Amino acid sequence: MKNVFYASAAALALMAGMAQADGHLKFAPGEGAFSWDSYEALKEMDLSGEKISILGPWLGPDKELVESVIAYFEDATGADVEYAGSDSFEQQIVIDTEAGSPPNIAIFPQPGLAADLAGKGLLSPLPEGMADWVRDNYAAGQSWVDLGTYAGKDGTDALYGFFYKVDVKSLVWYVPENFEDAGYEVPQSMEELKALTDQIVADGEVPWCIGLGSGGATGWPATDWVEDMMLRINTPEDYDAWTKNELPFDDPKVIAAIEEFGAFARNDAYVSGGAGAVATTDFRDSPQGLFASPPQCYMHRQASFIPTFFPEGTEVGVDADFFYFPAYADKDLGKPVLGAGTVWGVTSDSKGTQAFMEFLKSPIAHEVWMAQKGFLTPHKGVNTDVYTDPTVAKMNDILLSADTFRFDGSDLMPGAVGAGVFWTGMVDYAGGKDASEVAASIQSTWESIK
């Protein structure tokens, strides 16, 4: 496999800026392609003496990255911001808020917990006008407003959550050299993806590697497939209703999405090892077939984290690449993207807290993390030239091109469903059980916990 060194002019400028940065700022103000005007605008706020506490799930390198962003707010405003990370965030934030000693801001890995706290009156609505700003400045803006809008203690809906740092799941991974050798082109629609799948079979090869194994969480990769398919054959409103069980799990629309997954996973000719291997192949081992010689498969649908499990030395963008898991051309459903992300909410309001939430709207609050690693944003106002990793930049392009974004559906469902019978039901389905029977069983469990 080839190894290349990639360094764009923007990347070199950023590295130069990093070298010149003084004190705790990662990049020297005025250097590089950052939106420094948004940083300078922060200086209009004098927050000397203001203390702001933030609790989130990030530890280790991610803690250092979020603190590198916070440093610019502190430097410009004079505020003192303390971030604390916890590997038991979900439990800690509930304890702190119910005890009356919450942080000013909480960073939720999933919207469900934020919605729960809002319903108990433990989260403050975001300022008036924030929803309009998100609509206008985020790609698929209404999607983000919907995901951050919850019912308060009095039952009234309001925007409580601001999304910052997003992950993309609607990706298909492949080896460019394999595609080139076989004469295959990246499909631009679901129709083309299915045609390519059939072409690979006609050529005597196997198109897909799919594995659902994940220890006690076996089955979750199939839920991502079904969620992506829900967004490609049904409306976003149907998807939302499904995650709340307003559209029952055994509705024909949901069954059809399960069967769309089955059209790939239950066809012996389509899957490496045959359909019988899908449920027993560990998801971490599944993409290895892309790199075999000759290839055991040509495509693998998985989220942005999967290169962690590629063979050592694999260079993404050269030895492996990805494309958007496409939508149907003949359905008027746009370009939906499935993913996840962190939602920031106010658990103890103050002048400094409001100012910090305003800061999250500024391009610089996104660009500082973008220029380092692992950060995707739907903010249309950022300068994507600050990306130093072309792979992450390409993922962000997919996010910015989306006209609908939806959060991982299983994470929005009750745990007994989303992290329980939905997982096990998909294993049963991959093993040959009828989709209608599986869906009815999942629906029965949902009804039993209402």
Coordinates of all heavy atoms in Angstrom, one line a residue, residues 170-257:
S170 N -23.7 7.7 8.2 CA -24.1 7.3 6.9 C -22.9 7.2 5.9 O -22.9 8.0 4.9 CB -25.2 8.3 6.3 OG -26.3 8.4 7.2
L171 N -22.0 6.3 6.1 CA -20.8 6.1 5.3 C -20.7 4.7 4.8 O -21.0 3.8 5.5 CB -19.6 6.5 6.1 CG -19.6 7.9 6.8 CD1 -18.3 8.1 7.6 CD2 -19.6 9.0 5.7
V172 N -20.1 4.6 3.6 CA -19.7 3.3 3.1 C -18.2 3.3 2.8 O -17.7 4.2 2.1 CB -20.5 2.9 1.8 CG1 -20.0 1.6 1.2 CG2 -22.0 2.9 2.0
W173 N -17.5 2.3 3.4 CA -16.0 2.3 3.3 C -15.6 1.3 2.2 O -16.3 0.3 1.9 CB -15.4 1.9 4.6 CG -15.7 2.9 5.7 CD1 -16.8 3.0 6.5 CD2 -14.8 4.0 6.0 NE1 -16.7 4.0 7.3 CE2 -15.5 4.7 7.1 CE3 -13.6 4.4 5.6 CZ2 -14.9 5.8 7.7 CZ3 -13.0 5.5 6.2 CH2 -13.7 6.2 7.2
Y174 N -14.5 1.7 1.5 CA -14.0 0.8 0.4 C -12.6 1.1 0.2 O -12.0 2.0 0.8 CB -14.8 1.1 -0.9 CG -14.5 2.5 -1.5 CD1 -13.7 2.6 -2.7 CD2 -15.0 3.7 -1.0 CE1 -13.4 3.8 -3.3 CE2 -14.7 4.9 -1.5 CZ -13.9 5.0 -2.7 OH -13.6 6.2 -3.2
V175 N -11.9 0.2 -0.6 CA -10.5 0.4 -1.0 C -10.4 0.9 -2.4 O -10.8 0.2 -3.3 CB -9.8 -1.0 -0.8 CG1 -8.3 -0.9 -1.4 CG2 -9.8 -1.4 0.6
P176 N -10.0 2.1 -2.6 CA -10.0 2.7 -3.9 C -9.2 1.9 -5.0 O -9.7 1.8 -6.1 CB -9.2 4.1 -3.7 CG -9.5 4.4 -2.3 CD -9.5 3.1 -1.5
E177 N -8.1 1.2 -4.5 CA -7.4 0.4 -5.5 C -8.2 -0.7 -6.0 O -8.1 -1.1 -7.2 CB -6.1 -0.1 -4.8 CG -5.2 -0.9 -5.7 CD -3.9 -1.3 -5.1 OE1 -3.6 -0.8 -3.9 OE2 -3.2 -2.1 -5.6
N178 N -9.0 -1.3 -5.1 CA -9.9 -2.4 -5.5 C -11.0 -2.0 -6.5 O -11.2 -2.6 -7.5 CB -10.6 -3.1 -4.3 CG -9.6 -3.8 -3.4 OD1 -8.5 -4.1 -3.8 ND2 -10.1 -4.1 -2.2
F179 N -11.5 -0.8 -6.3 CA -12.5 -0.2 -7.2 C -11.9 0.1 -8.5 O -12.5 -0.2 -9.6 CB -13.1 1.1 -6.6 CG -14.4 0.8 -5.8 CD1 -14.6 -0.2 -4.9 CD2 -15.5 1.7 -6.0 CE1 -15.8 -0.4 -4.3 CE2 -16.7 1.5 -5.4 CZ -16.8 0.5 -4.5
E180 N -10.7 0.7 -8.5 CA -10.0 1.0 -9.7 C -9.7 -0.2 -10.5 O -9.9 -0.2 -11.8 CB -8.7 1.8 -9.4 CG -8.0 2.3 -10.6 CD -6.8 3.1 -10.2 OE1 -6.6 3.5 -9.0 OE2 -5.9 3.4 -11.1
D181 N -9.2 -1.3 -9.9 CA -8.8 -2.5 -10.6 C -10.0 -3.1 -11.3 O -9.9 -3.7 -12.4 CB -8.1 -3.5 -9.6 CG -6.8 -3.0 -9.2 OD1 -6.2 -2.1 -9.8 OD2 -6.2 -3.6 -8.2
A182 N -11.1 -3.0 -10.6 CA -12.3 -3.7 -11.1 C -13.1 -2.8 -12.1 O -14.1 -3.2 -12.7 CB -13.2 -4.2 -10.0
G183 N -12.8 -1.5 -12.1 CA -13.5 -0.6 -13.0 C -14.8 -0.1 -12.4 O -15.7 0.4 -13.1
Y184 N -14.9 -0.1 -11.0 CA -16.2 0.3 -10.4 C -16.1 1.8 -10.0 O -15.0 2.4 -9.7 CB -16.4 -0.4 -9.1 CG -16.5 -1.9 -9.2 CD1 -16.0 -2.8 -8.3 CD2 -17.1 -2.5 -10.4 CE1 -16.1 -4.2 -8.4 CE2 -17.2 -3.9 -10.6 CZ -16.7 -4.7 -9.6 OH -16.8 -6.1 -9.8
E185 N -17.2 2.5 -10.1 CA -17.3 3.9 -9.7 C -18.2 4.1 -8.5 O -19.1 3.2 -8.2 CB -17.9 4.7 -10.9 CG -17.0 4.7 -12.1 CD -17.6 5.6 -13.2 OE1 -18.7 6.2 -13.0 OE2 -16.9 5.7 -14.2
V186 N -17.9 5.1 -7.7 CA -18.6 5.4 -6.5 C -20.1 5.7 -6.9 O -20.3 6.6 -7.7 CB -18.0 6.5 -5.7 CG1 -18.9 7.0 -4.6 CG2 -16.6 6.1 -5.2
P187 N -21.1 5.0 -6.3 CA -22.5 5.2 -6.6 C -23.0 6.5 -6.1 O -22.6 6.9 -4.9 CB -23.2 4.0 -6.0 CG -22.3 3.6 -4.9 CD -20.9 3.9 -5.4
Q188 N -23.9 7.2 -6.8 CA -24.4 8.5 -6.4 C -25.8 8.4 -5.9 O -26.4 9.3 -5.4 CB -24.3 9.4 -7.5 CG -22.9 9.7 -8.1 CD -22.0 10.2 -7.0 OE1 -22.3 11.2 -6.3 NE2 -20.8 9.6 -6.9
S189 N -26.4 7.2 -6.0 CA -27.8 7.0 -5.5 C -28.0 5.6 -5.0 O -27.1 4.7 -5.3 CB -28.8 7.2 -6.7 OG -28.7 6.2 -7.7
M190 N -29.0 5.3 -4.3 CA -29.3 3.9 -3.8 C -29.5 3.0 -5.0 O -29.1 1.8 -4.9 CB -30.5 3.9 -2.8 CG -30.8 2.6 -2.2 SD -29.4 1.9 -1.2 CE -29.4 3.1 0.2
E191 N -30.1 3.5 -6.0 CA -30.3 2.6 -7.2 C -29.0 2.2 -7.8 O -28.8 1.0 -8.1 CB -31.1 3.4 -8.3 CG -32.6 3.6 -7.9 CD -32.9 4.9 -7.2 OE1 -31.9 5.5 -6.7 OE2 -34.0 5.4 -7.2
E192 N -28.0 3.1 -7.8 CA -26.7 2.8 -8.3 C -25.9 1.9 -7.4 O -25.2 1.0 -7.8 CB -25.9 4.1 -8.6 CG -26.4 4.9 -9.7 CD -25.5 6.2 -10.0 OE1 -24.4 6.3 -9.4 OE2 -25.9 7.0 -10.9
L193 N -26.1 2.1 -6.1 CA -25.5 1.2 -5.1 C -26.0 -0.2 -5.2 O -25.2 -1.2 -5.2 CB -25.8 1.7 -3.7 CG -25.1 0.9 -2.5 CD1 -23.6 0.9 -2.6 CD2 -25.6 1.4 -1.2
K194 N -27.3 -0.4 -5.4 CA -27.8 -1.7 -5.6 C -27.3 -2.3 -7.0 O -27.0 -3.5 -7.0 CB -29.3 -1.7 -5.5 CG -29.8 -1.4 -4.1 CD -31.3 -1.6 -4.0 CE -31.8 -1.5 -2.6 NZ -33.3 -1.7 -2.4
A195 N -27.2 -1.5 -8.0 CA -26.7 -2.0 -9.3 C -25.3 -2.4 -9.2 O -24.9 -3.4 -9.7 CB -26.9 -0.9 -10.3
L196 N -24.5 -1.6 -8.4 CA -23.1 -2.0 -8.2 C -23.0 -3.3 -7.4 O -22.1 -4.1 -7.8 CB -22.4 -0.9 -7.5 CG -20.9 -1.1 -7.0 CD1 -20.0 -1.4 -8.3 CD2 -20.3 0.0 -6.2
T197 N -23.8 -3.5 -6.4 CA -23.8 -4.7 -5.7 C -24.1 -5.9 -6.6 O -23.3 -6.9 -6.5 CB -24.9 -4.6 -4.6 OG1 -24.6 -3.6 -3.7 CG2 -25.1 -5.9 -3.8
D198 N -25.0 -5.8 -7.5 CA -25.3 -6.9 -8.4 C -24.2 -7.1 -9.4 O -23.9 -8.2 -9.8 CB -26.6 -6.6 -9.2 CG -27.9 -6.8 -8.3 OD1 -27.8 -7.6 -7.4 OD2 -28.9 -6.1 -8.6
Q199 N -23.5 -6.0 -9.9 CA -22.4 -6.1 -10.8 C -21.3 -6.8 -10.2 O -20.6 -7.7 -10.9 CB -22.0 -4.7 -11.2 CG -20.8 -4.7 -12.2 CD -21.2 -5.3 -13.5 OE1 -22.2 -5.0 -14.1 NE2 -20.4 -6.3 -14.0
I200 N -21.0 -6.5 -8.9 CA -19.9 -7.2 -8.3 C -20.1 -8.7 -8.2 O -19.2 -9.6 -8.4 CB -19.6 -6.6 -6.8 CG1 -19.1 -5.2 -7.0 CG2 -18.6 -7.5 -6.0 CD1 -19.1 -4.4 -5.7
V201 N -21.4 -9.1 -7.9 CA -21.8 -10.5 -7.9 C -21.6 -11.1 -9.3 O -21.1 -12.2 -9.4 CB -23.2 -10.7 -7.4 CG1 -23.7 -12.1 -7.5 CG2 -23.3 -10.3 -5.9
A202 N -22.1 -10.4 -10.3 CA -22.0 -10.9 -11.7 C -20.5 -11.1 -12.1 O -20.2 -12.0 -12.9 CB -22.6 -9.9 -12.6
D203 N -19.6 -10.3 -11.5 CA -18.2 -10.5 -11.8 C -17.6 -11.6 -11.0 O -16.3 -11.8 -11.0 CB -17.5 -9.1 -11.5 CG -17.9 -8.0 -12.4 OD1 -18.4 -8.3 -13.5 OD2 -17.6 -6.8 -12.1
G204 N -18.4 -12.3 -10.2 CA -17.8 -13.4 -9.4 C -17.2 -13.0 -8.1 O -16.5 -13.8 -7.5
E205 N -17.5 -11.8 -7.6 CA -17.0 -11.3 -6.4 C -18.1 -11.2 -5.3 O -19.3 -11.3 -5.6 CB -16.2 -10.0 -6.6 CG -15.1 -10.1 -7.7 CD -13.9 -10.9 -7.2 OE1 -13.8 -11.2 -6.0 OE2 -13.1 -11.3 -8.1
V206 N -17.7 -10.8 -4.1 CA -18.7 -10.5 -3.0 C -18.7 -9.0 -2.7 O -17.6 -8.5 -2.4 CB -18.3 -11.4 -1.8 CG1 -19.3 -11.1 -0.6 CG2 -18.2 -12.8 -2.1
P207 N -19.8 -8.4 -2.7 CA -19.9 -6.9 -2.5 C -19.7 -6.4 -1.1 O -19.1 -5.4 -0.9 CB -21.2 -6.5 -3.1 CG -22.0 -7.8 -3.1 CD -21.1 -8.9 -3.3
W208 N -20.3 -7.1 -0.1 CA -20.4 -6.6 1.2 C -19.7 -7.4 2.3 O -19.7 -8.6 2.3 CB -21.8 -6.4 1.6 CG -22.5 -5.3 0.8 CD1 -23.2 -5.5 -0.3 CD2 -22.5 -3.9 1.1 NE1 -23.7 -4.3 -0.8 CE2 -23.3 -3.3 0.0 CE3 -22.0 -3.1 2.0 CZ2 -23.5 -2.0 -0.1 CZ3 -22.2 -1.7 2.0 CH2 -23.0 -1.2 0.9
C209 N -19.1 -6.7 3.3 CA -18.8 -7.3 4.6 C -19.7 -6.7 5.6 O -19.8 -5.5 5.7 CB -17.3 -7.0 5.0 SG -16.1 -8.0 4.2
I210 N -20.4 -7.6 6.4 CA -21.3 -7.1 7.4 C -21.1 -8.0 8.6 O -21.2 -9.2 8.5 CB -22.8 -7.2 6.9 CG1 -23.0 -6.4 5.7 CG2 -23.7 -6.7 8.0 CD1 -24.4 -6.5 5.1
G211 N -21.0 -7.4 9.8 CA -20.8 -8.1 11.0 C -21.6 -7.4 12.1 O -21.5 -6.2 12.3
L212 N -22.4 -8.2 12.9 CA -23.2 -7.6 14.0 C -22.7 -7.9 15.4 O -23.2 -7.4 16.3 CB -24.6 -8.2 13.9 CG -25.4 -8.1 12.5 CD1 -26.8 -8.5 12.7 CD2 -25.3 -6.7 12.0
G213 N -21.6 -8.7 15.5 CA -21.1 -9.1 16.8 C -20.5 -8.0 17.5 O -19.7 -7.2 17.0
S214 N -20.8 -7.9 18.8 CA -20.3 -6.9 19.7 C -20.4 -7.2 21.1 O -20.9 -6.4 22.0 CB -21.0 -5.5 19.4 OG -20.3 -4.5 20.1
G215 N -20.1 -8.5 21.5 CA -20.3 -8.9 22.9 C -21.7 -8.8 23.3 O -22.7 -9.2 22.7
G216 N -21.9 -8.2 24.5 CA -23.2 -8.0 25.0 C -24.1 -7.0 24.2 O -25.3 -7.0 24.5
A217 N -23.5 -6.3 23.3 CA -24.2 -5.3 22.5 C -24.4 -5.8 21.1 O -24.7 -5.1 20.2 CB -23.5 -4.0 22.5
T218 N -24.2 -7.1 20.9 CA -24.4 -7.7 19.5 C -25.7 -7.3 18.9 O -26.8 -7.4 19.6 CB -24.3 -9.2 19.6 OG1 -22.9 -9.6 19.9 CG2 -24.6 -9.9 18.3
G219 N -25.7 -6.9 17.7 CA -26.9 -6.5 17.0 C -27.0 -5.0 16.7 O -27.6 -4.6 15.7
W220 N -26.2 -4.2 17.4 CA -26.3 -2.7 17.2 C -26.0 -2.3 15.8 O -26.6 -1.3 15.3 CB -25.6 -1.9 18.3 CG -24.1 -1.9 18.1 CD1 -23.2 -2.7 18.8 CD2 -23.3 -1.2 17.2 NE1 -21.9 -2.4 18.4 CE2 -21.9 -1.5 17.4 CE3 -23.6 -0.2 16.2 CZ2 -20.9 -1.0 16.7 CZ3 -22.5 0.3 15.5 CH2 -21.2 0.0 15.7
P221 N -25.0 -2.9 15.1 CA -24.7 -2.4 13.8 C -25.9 -2.5 12.8 O -26.0 -1.7 11.9 CB -23.5 -3.3 13.3 CG -22.8 -3.7 14.5 CD -24.0 -3.9 15.5
A222 N -26.7 -3.5 13.0 CA -27.9 -3.6 12.2 C -28.9 -2.5 12.5 O -29.7 -2.1 11.5 CB -28.6 -5.0 12.4
T223 N -29.0 -2.0 13.7 CA -29.9 -1.0 14.0 C -29.5 0.3 13.2 O -30.4 1.0 12.7 CB -30.0 -0.6 15.5 OG1 -28.8 0.0 16.0 CG2 -30.3 -1.9 16.3
D224 N -28.2 0.5 13.0 CA -27.8 1.7 12.2 C -28.2 1.5 10.8 O -28.7 2.5 10.1 CB -26.3 1.8 12.3 CG -25.8 2.4 13.6 OD1 -26.6 2.8 14.4 OD2 -24.6 2.6 13.8
W225 N -28.1 0.3 10.2 CA -28.6 0.0 8.9 C -30.1 0.4 8.8 O -30.5 1.0 7.8 CB -28.4 -1.4 8.5 CG -27.1 -1.8 7.9 CD1 -25.9 -2.2 8.5 CD2 -26.8 -2.0 6.5 NE1 -25.0 -2.5 7.6 CE2 -25.5 -2.4 6.4 CE3 -27.6 -1.7 5.3 CZ2 -24.9 -2.6 5.1 CZ3 -27.0 -2.0 4.1 CH2 -25.7 -2.4 4.0
V226 N -30.9 -0.1 9.7 CA -32.3 0.1 9.6 C -32.7 1.6 9.8 O -33.5 2.1 9.0 CB -33.0 -0.7 10.7 CG1 -34.5 -0.4 10.8 CG2 -32.8 -2.2 10.5
E227 N -32.0 2.3 10.6 CA -32.2 3.7 10.8 C -31.9 4.5 9.5 O -32.7 5.3 9.1 CB -31.4 4.2 12.0 CG -31.8 3.8 13.3 CD -30.8 3.7 14.4 OE1 -29.6 4.1 14.1 OE2 -31.0 3.2 15.5
D228 N -30.8 4.1 8.9 CA -30.4 4.8 7.6 C -31.5 4.4 6.5 O -31.9 5.3 5.7 CB -29.1 4.3 7.1 CG -28.0 5.4 7.2 OD1 -28.3 6.5 7.1 OD2 -26.8 5.0 7.3
M229 N -32.0 3.2 6.5 CA -33.0 2.8 5.6 C -34.3 3.5 5.8 O -35.1 3.9 4.9 CB -33.2 1.3 5.5 CG -32.0 0.6 4.9 SD -31.7 1.2 3.2 CE -30.4 0.0 2.7
M230 N -34.7 3.7 7.1 CA -35.9 4.4 7.5 C -35.9 5.8 6.9 O -36.9 6.3 6.3 CB -36.0 4.6 9.0 CG -36.6 3.4 9.7 SD -38.4 3.1 9.4 CE -39.1 4.6 10.1
L231 N -34.7 6.5 6.9 CA -34.6 7.8 6.3 C -34.6 7.9 4.8 O -34.7 8.9 4.2 CB -33.3 8.5 6.9 CG -33.3 8.8 8.4 CD1 -31.9 9.2 8.8 CD2 -34.3 10.0 8.6
R232 N -34.4 6.7 4.2 CA -34.3 6.6 2.7 C -35.5 6.2 2.1 O -35.7 6.3 0.8 CB -33.1 5.8 2.3 CG -31.8 6.6 2.4 CD -30.5 5.7 2.7 NE -29.4 6.6 2.9 CZ -29.1 7.4 3.9 NH1 -29.9 7.3 5.0 NH2 -28.0 8.2 4.0
I233 N -36.5 5.6 2.8 CA -37.7 5.2 2.2 C -38.9 5.8 2.9 O -40.1 5.7 2.4 CB -37.9 3.6 2.2 CG1 -38.0 3.1 3.6 CG2 -36.7 3.0 1.5 CD1 -38.3 1.6 3.7
N234 N -38.7 6.5 4.0 CA -39.8 7.2 4.7 C -39.4 8.6 5.0 O -38.2 9.0 4.9 CB -40.1 6.5 6.0 CG -40.5 5.0 5.8 OD1 -41.5 4.8 5.1 ND2 -39.9 4.1 6.5
T235 N -40.4 9.4 5.4 CA -40.1 10.9 5.7 C -39.4 11.0 7.0 O -39.5 10.2 7.9 CB -41.4 11.6 5.7 OG1 -42.2 11.2 6.8 CG2 -42.2 11.5 4.4
P236 N -38.8 12.2 7.2 CA -38.2 12.5 8.5 C -39.3 12.5 9.6 O -39.0 12.1 10.8 CB -37.6 13.9 8.3 CG -37.3 14.0 6.9 CD -38.4 13.2 6.2
E237 N -40.5 12.9 9.3 CA -41.6 12.9 10.3 C -41.9 11.4 10.7 O -42.2 11.2 11.9 CB -42.8 13.6 9.7 CG -42.6 15.1 9.5 CD -41.8 15.5 8.3 OE1 -41.6 14.6 7.4 OE2 -41.2 16.6 8.3
D238 N -41.9 10.5 9.7 CA -42.1 9.1 10.1 C -41.0 8.6 11.0 O -41.2 7.8 11.9 CB -42.1 8.2 8.8 CG -43.4 8.4 8.0 OD1 -44.4 8.7 8.6 OD2 -43.4 8.2 6.8
Y239 N -39.7 9.0 10.7 CA -38.6 8.6 11.5 C -38.8 9.1 13.0 O -38.6 8.3 13.9 CB -37.3 9.1 10.9 CG -36.1 8.7 11.6 CD1 -35.4 7.6 11.2 CD2 -35.6 9.4 12.7 CE1 -34.2 7.1 11.9 CE2 -34.4 9.0 13.4 CZ -33.7 7.9 12.9 OH -32.6 7.5 13.6
D240 N -39.2 10.3 13.1 CA -39.4 10.9 14.4 C -40.5 10.2 15.2 O -40.4 9.9 16.4 CB -39.7 12.4 14.3 CG -38.6 13.2 13.7 OD1 -37.4 12.7 13.8 OD2 -38.8 14.3 13.2
A241 N -41.6 9.9 14.5 CA -42.7 9.2 15.1 C -42.3 7.8 15.5 O -42.7 7.3 16.6 CB -43.9 9.2 14.1
W242 N -41.4 7.2 14.7 CA -41.0 5.8 15.0 C -40.1 5.8 16.3 O -40.3 4.9 17.2 CB -40.2 5.3 13.8 CG -39.4 4.0 14.1 CD1 -39.9 2.8 14.5 CD2 -38.0 3.8 13.9 NE1 -38.9 1.9 14.5 CE2 -37.8 2.4 14.1 CE3 -37.0 4.6 13.4 CZ2 -36.5 1.9 14.0 CZ3 -35.7 4.1 13.3 CH2 -35.5 2.7 13.6
T243 N -39.2 6.8 16.5 CA -38.4 6.8 17.7 C -39.2 7.1 18.9 O -38.7 6.8 20.0 CB -37.3 7.8 17.5 OG1 -37.8 9.2 17.4 CG2 -36.4 7.6 16.3
K244 N -40.4 7.6 18.8 CA -41.3 7.9 20.0 C -42.4 6.8 20.1 O -43.2 6.9 21.0 CB -41.9 9.2 19.8 CG -40.9 10.4 19.7 CD -41.6 11.7 19.3 CE -40.7 12.8 19.1 NZ -41.3 14.0 18.5
N245 N -42.4 5.9 19.2 CA -43.4 4.8 19.1 C -44.8 5.4 18.8 O -45.8 4.7 19.0 CB -43.5 4.0 20.4 CG -44.0 2.6 20.1 OD1 -44.9 2.1 20.9 ND2 -43.6 1.9 19.0
E246 N -44.8 6.6 18.2 CA -46.1 7.1 17.7 C -46.4 6.4 16.3 O -47.5 6.2 15.9 CB -46.0 8.6 17.5 CG -45.9 9.4 18.8 CD -45.5 10.8 18.6 OE1 -45.3 11.2 17.4 OE2 -45.3 11.5 19.6
L247 N -45.3 5.9 15.7 CA -45.4 5.0 14.5 C -44.9 3.7 15.1 O -43.7 3.5 15.4 CB -44.5 5.5 13.4 CG -44.5 4.6 12.1 CD1 -45.8 4.7 11.4 CD2 -43.3 4.9 11.2
P248 N -45.8 2.7 15.3 CA -45.5 1.4 15.9 C -44.3 0.7 15.2 O -44.2 0.8 14.0 CB -46.8 0.6 15.9 CG -47.8 1.7 15.7 CD -47.2 2.8 14.9
F249 N -43.6 -0.1 15.9 CA -42.5 -0.8 15.3 C -42.9 -1.8 14.3 O -42.2 -2.2 13.4 CB -41.7 -1.5 16.5 CG -40.2 -1.4 16.3 CD1 -39.4 -0.6 17.1 CD2 -39.5 -2.1 15.3 CE1 -38.1 -0.4 16.9 CE2 -38.1 -2.0 15.1 CZ -37.4 -1.2 16.0
D250 N -44.2 -2.3 14.5 CA -44.7 -3.3 13.5 C -45.5 -2.6 12.4 O -46.2 -3.3 11.7 CB -45.5 -4.4 14.2 CG -46.6 -3.8 15.1 OD1 -46.8 -2.6 15.1 OD2 -47.4 -4.6 15.7
D251 N -45.4 -1.3 12.2 CA -46.0 -0.6 11.1 C -45.3 -1.1 9.8 O -44.1 -1.3 9.8 CB -45.8 0.9 11.2 CG -46.6 1.7 10.2 OD1 -46.0 1.9 9.1 OD2 -47.7 2.1 10.4
P252 N -46.1 -1.2 8.7 CA -45.5 -1.6 7.4 C -44.3 -0.8 7.0 O -43.4 -1.3 6.3 CB -46.6 -1.5 6.4 CG -47.9 -1.7 7.3 CD -47.5 -1.1 8.6
K253 N -44.3 0.5 7.4 CA -43.1 1.4 7.0 C -41.8 0.9 7.7 O -40.8 1.0 7.1 CB -43.5 2.8 7.3 CG -44.6 3.5 6.5 CD -44.8 4.9 6.9 CE -45.9 5.6 6.1 NZ -46.2 6.9 6.5
V254 N -42.0 0.5 8.9 CA -40.8 0.1 9.6 C -40.3 -1.3 9.2 O -39.1 -1.6 9.0 CB -41.1 0.1 11.2 CG1 -39.8 -0.4 11.9 CG2 -41.5 1.4 11.6
I255 N -41.3 -2.2 8.9 CA -41.0 -3.5 8.4 C -40.3 -3.4 7.1 O -39.3 -4.1 6.8 CB -42.3 -4.3 8.3 CG1 -42.8 -4.6 9.7 CG2 -42.0 -5.6 7.6 CD1 -44.2 -5.2 9.7
A256 N -40.7 -2.5 6.2 CA -40.1 -2.3 4.9 C -38.6 -1.8 5.1 O -37.7 -2.3 4.3 CB -40.8 -1.2 4.1
A257 N -38.3 -1.0 6.1 CA -36.9 -0.6 6.3 C -36.1 -1.7 6.8 O -34.9 -1.9 6.4 CB -36.9 0.6 7.4

